[in-house]
């Protein structure tokens, strides 16, 4: 592993722990010990050590997962978190005695270790989720106005930003979405969607415009539609996270014809 190299790739997973910035291999599984230290073994590629700071009792860590990448973490309490592409999570190396709290920007899937004495709290820009032990998915990208929490098992209590006295409790197989300020609770219709944590993106009867919005997030590219009529086409399929956006668009193009133009210099793809 290279140390004290000031250049870390923005295209790779970066872990901020204590005074270190560590570039990790793709699809890394980071496990935290009972002492709050990450067990990296052979996961680290490069490490940059900042100037020594005073030791803090409860160090705040952060993982940043760029486009086309994913990672997962096992926290010191045994909770497992999968982190999707273009996502960032802030969390303490060791959780407090009365609660376990993380901040999410992007998408994560959590399998929370049950601990009645310490609720697990997930904070996003639009809402806060409180659980004791459960499996659920949170999607809250900064650039996306469609925010969603999906419950697979257990129970979720949702508090909304600015309305802390109001909450909604979800039951298994339910999800809540906030889009353009409208709140909706419905049944999860496509469980294969959560295969993203295994490196597979799945969609079912999904509008092309919604698929393209996700591709823009996952691959950090701008997609312009010159022919609005193709936005209303629906698609069902799966693709691997490792597939390039060119491969995915060519696959979609075989179902409904459209033209693809690329502007590499400005990172723009135009469909017509």
């Amino acid at each position: 592993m290279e140390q004290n190299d000031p250049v870390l790739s923005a295209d790779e997973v970066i872990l901020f722990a204590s005074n270190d910035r560590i570039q990790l291999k793709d699809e890394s599984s980071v496990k935290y010990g009972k002492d709050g230290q990450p067990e990296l073994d052979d996961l680290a590629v490069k490490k940059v050590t900042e100037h020594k700071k005073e030791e803090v009792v409860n160090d705040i860590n952060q993982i940043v997962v760029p486009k086309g990448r994913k990672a997962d973490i096992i926290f010191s309490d045994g909770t497992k978190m999968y982190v999707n592409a273009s996502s960032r999570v802030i969390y303490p190396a060791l959780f407090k005695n009365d609660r376990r709290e993380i901040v999410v920007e992007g998408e994560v899937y959590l399998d929370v270790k049950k601990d009645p004495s310490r609720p697990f709290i997930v904070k996003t820009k639009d809402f806060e989720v409180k659980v004791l032990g459960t499996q659920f998915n949170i999607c809250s990208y900064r650039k996306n106005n469609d925010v969603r929490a999906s419950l697979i098992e257990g129970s979720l209590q949702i508090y909304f930003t600015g309305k802390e006295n109001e909450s909604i409790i979800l039951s298994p197989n339910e999800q809540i979405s906030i889009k353009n300020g409208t709140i909706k609770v419905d049944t999860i219709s496509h469980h294969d969607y959560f295969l993203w944590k295994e490196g597979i993106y799945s969609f079912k009867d999904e509008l092309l415009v919604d698929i393209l919005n996700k591709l823009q997030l996952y691959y950090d590219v701008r997609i312009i539609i010159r022919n609005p009529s193709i936005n209303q086409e629906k698609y069902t399929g799966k693709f691997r996270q490792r597939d390039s956006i060119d491969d995915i668009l060519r696959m979609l193009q075989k179902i409904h014809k459209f033209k693809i133009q690329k502007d590499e210099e400005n990172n723009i793809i135009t469909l017509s």
Side-chain angles (χ1 to χ4, degrees):
M1 179 179 66
E2 298 178 42
Q3 294 195 10
N4 298 318
D5 184 339
V7 180
L8 296 183
S9 174
D11 295 325
E12 302 298 336
V13 178
I14 304 294
L15 176 69
F16 296 79
S18 299
N19 300 318
D20 297 326
R21 290 185 289 124
I22 307 161
Q23 180 179 316
L24 303 178
K25 296 177 181 177
D26 186 29
E27 300 187 16
S28 287
S29 296
V30 179
K31 183 176 181 180
Y32 280 79
K34 296 295 184 182
D35 59 355
Q37 294 300 311
E39 300 171 5
L40 299 177
D41 296 327
D42 297 327
L43 301 178
V45 177
K46 292 181 181 179
K47 180 169 75 171
V48 175
T49 300
E50 307 293 348
H51 295 298
K52 189 65 178 176
K53 304 172 185 176
E54 292 184 9
E55 185 176 350
V56 291
V57 175
N58 199 9
D59 196 21
I60 298 299
N61 286 196
Q62 180 179 173
I63 189 163
V64 179
V65 180
K67 60 182 180 179
R69 300 284 186 263
K70 69 183 184 70
D72 59 79
I73 289 176
I74 298 177
F75 294 116
S76 57
D77 70 328
T79 292
K80 186 162 188 177
M81 175 179 70
Y82 301 85
V83 187
N84 205 350
S86 299
S87 300
R88 179 172 70 124
V89 184
I90 301 170
Y91 54 92
L94 285 173
F95 291 119
K96 295 182 178 180
N97 292 329
D98 60 342
R99 68 183 183 275
R100 297 166 289 172
E101 186 174 291
I102 67 174
V103 178
V104 172
E105 182 183 296
E107 186 164 27
V108 299
Y109 183 103
L110 283 147
D111 186 351
V112 177
K113 192 78 169 180
K114 191 171 184 179
D115 185 347
S117 67
R118 292 192 299 171
F120 199 101
I121 298 168
V122 181
K123 292 187 173 183
T124 75
K125 62 184 177 67
D126 291 287
F127 58 76
E128 180 177 302
V129 173
K130 183 178 180 180
V131 301
L132 295 177
T134 187
Q135 290 188 44
F136 62 101
N137 193 84
I138 296 286
C139 186
S140 179
Y141 283 100
R142 182 170 51 87
K143 297 180 180 179
N144 196 350
N145 63 359
D146 186 3
V147 181
R148 192 177 303 268
S150 309
L151 179 63
I152 287 75
E153 65 178 49
S155 66
L156 281 184
Q157 190 165 15
I158 315 287
Y159 297 87
F160 300 99
T161 302
K163 301 178 180 179
E164 285 72 17
N165 295 326
E166 301 178 19
S167 67
I168 292 176
I169 296 177
L170 294 185
S171 299
N173 203 38
E174 286 187 336
Q175 62 186 6
I176 185 170
S177 61
I178 306 172
K179 190 170 186 178
N180 298 323
T182 301
I183 299 171
K184 180 182 178 182
V185 177
D186 56 8
T187 301
I188 298 173
S189 60
H190 185 49
H191 280 268
D192 277 358
Y193 171 82
F194 308 113
L195 288 174
W196 69 257
K197 60 189 175 70
E198 298 170 28
I200 298 172
Y201 293 132
S202 178
F203 44 94
K204 179 181 179 183
D205 292 330
E206 194 162 345
L207 290 172
L208 178 62
V209 62
D210 293 328
I211 295 172
L212 296 180
N213 282 337
K214 290 174 183 174
L215 292 180
Q216 289 185 104
L217 289 169
Y218 296 155
Y219 294 95
D220 192 27
V221 63
R222 184 183 174 200
I223 301 177
I224 298 174
I225 307 296
R226 294 296 186 199
N227 180 4
S229 65
I230 65 176
N231 274 337
Q232 303 309 309
E233 302 289 355
K234 290 187 176 182
Y235 293 80
T236 295
K238 295 178 181 177
F239 58 88
R240 297 166 299 181
Q241 188 180 50
R242 276 300 194 181
D243 291 340
S244 70
I245 192 167
D246 295 332
D247 291 336
I248 295 166
L249 290 176
R250 279 195 291 266
M251 179 185 72
L252 297 174
Q253 192 183 38
K254 289 180 180 179
I255 302 172
H256 296 287
K257 300 298 182 183
F258 52 79
K259 295 180 180 179
I260 302 172
Q261 292 180 309
K262 294 190 69 177
D263 180 350
E264 299 279 2
E265 184 177 350
N266 296 301
N267 197 28
I268 295 174
I269 297 175
T270 302
L271 306 184
S272 59

